Amino acid sequence: MRIWRLSLLLLLSLLAPLALAAPNDPLSIPAITLGSNAEGQQEYSVSLQILLIMTALSFIPAFAMLMTSFTRIIIVFSLLRQAMGLQQTPSNQILIGLAMFLTLFIMAPVFDRINRDALQPYLGEQLPAQEAIARAQIPLKDFMLAQTRESDLELFMRLSRRTDIASPDAAPLTILVPAFVTSELKTAFQIGFMLFIPFLIIDMVVASVLMAMGMMMLSPLIISLPFKIMLFVLVDGWGLIMGTLAGSFGTF
């Protein structure tokens, strides 16, 4: 009990100067303040805006994976590595880095629209934070709607039991994001299936030749792997894959 009392006294002694500080003290920092501008809209203090921005930074990985082209690209790259029979080559770090830069290339028009319509007017104090966020959502929603299947969007609208959404453009991000991710998963696996076919044919041909020669104890993967790598290099596989992925998103 004495330890708890001593800890409480120490805590009170540390908080007492803060509690007794004058509200008009120039050294004090107003952590959370809400005000109204001339138009009647609410404005937040700079410290609260910084807190919200720092909190939003923790969602950057989820934003990069679920609201951009990153999901489709990284899944296709992973399926391509499995189709070729390569376990750790290229490594995960290389695939993720390649997917990130290809995502930046594909999403560049969307980011330019966000910078032009929302970020720069906000930094120039021409827009409040709420309106800047609303404008920043428009290019992202246009991009995701263009890649989302109507059946997936209708599925999540039905699950949400929302009856006040008149058109897909009016769908909130809470419905659009899961529908977009579902469509991206379907598209990525469809592309991966097409990538598996030529490598599967090579495996079947090599396995048939080995069985005909009576070399059944030799693994077909050991023989087919060099042929698959050679075929992939001769047809400029990486260029075809990246060009196909970039072209599958269209122009925004």
Side-chain angles (χ1 to χ4, degrees):
M1 294 296 293
R2 293 181 179 179
I3 297 177
W4 284 103
R5 291 178 181 177
L6 181 59
S7 302
L8 182 59
L9 290 175
L10 289 175
L11 181 61
L12 291 176
S13 63
L14 292 174
L15 295 178
L18 297 178
L20 297 177
N24 296 325
D25 188 358
L27 298 179
S28 62
I29 300 177
I32 300 175
T33 56
L34 287 175
S36 300
N37 54 18
E39 299 177 357
Q41 298 179 348
Q42 288 185 342
E43 293 182 345
Y44 302 95
S45 62
V46 176
S47 56
L48 181 57
Q49 294 180 18
I50 294 175
L51 177 62
L52 294 176
I53 292 174
M54 295 300 294
T55 304
L57 289 178
S58 61
F59 291 94
I60 288 181
F63 165 79
M65 289 186 294
L66 302 181
M67 298 177 67
T68 64
S69 58
F70 181 83
T71 301
R72 182 188 303 185
I73 296 171
I74 193 61
I75 291 177
V76 170
F77 284 167
S78 300
L79 293 176
L80 173 63
R81 185 174 63 180
Q82 294 182 11
M84 295 181 65
L86 300 172
Q87 300 300 324
Q88 298 297 331
T89 305
S91 63
N92 293 331
Q93 292 83 354
I94 294 177
L95 291 183
I96 292 175
L98 186 60
M100 285 295 295
F101 278 98
L102 190 57
T103 299
L104 291 176
F105 173 78
I106 295 172
M107 299 295 297
V110 179
F111 294 153
D112 289 341
R113 286 182 57 190
I114 294 175
N115 180 64
R116 182 183 66 251
D117 299 340
L119 182 59
Q120 292 302 323
Y122 173 71
L123 295 178
E125 298 182 354
Q126 301 175 3
L127 291 177
Q130 295 89 339
E131 187 174 350
I133 294 175
R135 286 194 180 185
Q137 292 180 7
I138 296 176
L140 278 176
K141 292 180 69 173
D142 292 342
F143 171 79
M144 289 189 288
L145 282 172
Q147 309 301 324
T148 304
R149 293 177 173 83
E150 294 183 2
S151 58
D152 295 329
L153 187 59
E154 292 175 357
L155 170 65
F156 285 95
M157 291 178 63
R158 185 171 65 254
L159 292 175
S160 65
R161 298 180 181 178
R162 293 281 300 271
T163 58
D164 56 337
I165 302 176
S167 63
D169 296 336
L173 291 178
T174 54
I175 295 177
L176 183 56
V177 171
F180 169 74
V181 174
T182 304
S183 296
E184 287 294 282
L185 291 174
K186 292 180 180 179
T187 305
F189 277 92
Q190 289 176 354
I191 298 175
F193 171 76
M194 299 301 296
L195 290 175
F196 260 90
I197 293 177
F199 299 113
L200 181 61
I201 294 175
I202 295 177
D203 288 334
M204 294 175 62
V205 171
V206 171
S208 300
V209 172
L210 291 178
M211 290 183 63
M213 297 175 61
M215 303 175 64
M216 291 177 292
M217 299 301 295
L218 183 61
S219 176
L221 295 178
I222 299 177
I223 307 300
S224 63
L225 181 58
F227 289 98
K228 290 190 287 187
I229 294 177
M230 181 183 65
L231 174 65
F232 190 73
V233 172
L234 289 177
V235 300
D236 191 18
W238 287 111
L240 291 175
I241 294 295
M242 294 183 187
T244 301
L245 285 173
S248 64
F249 290 96
T251 304
F252 300 94

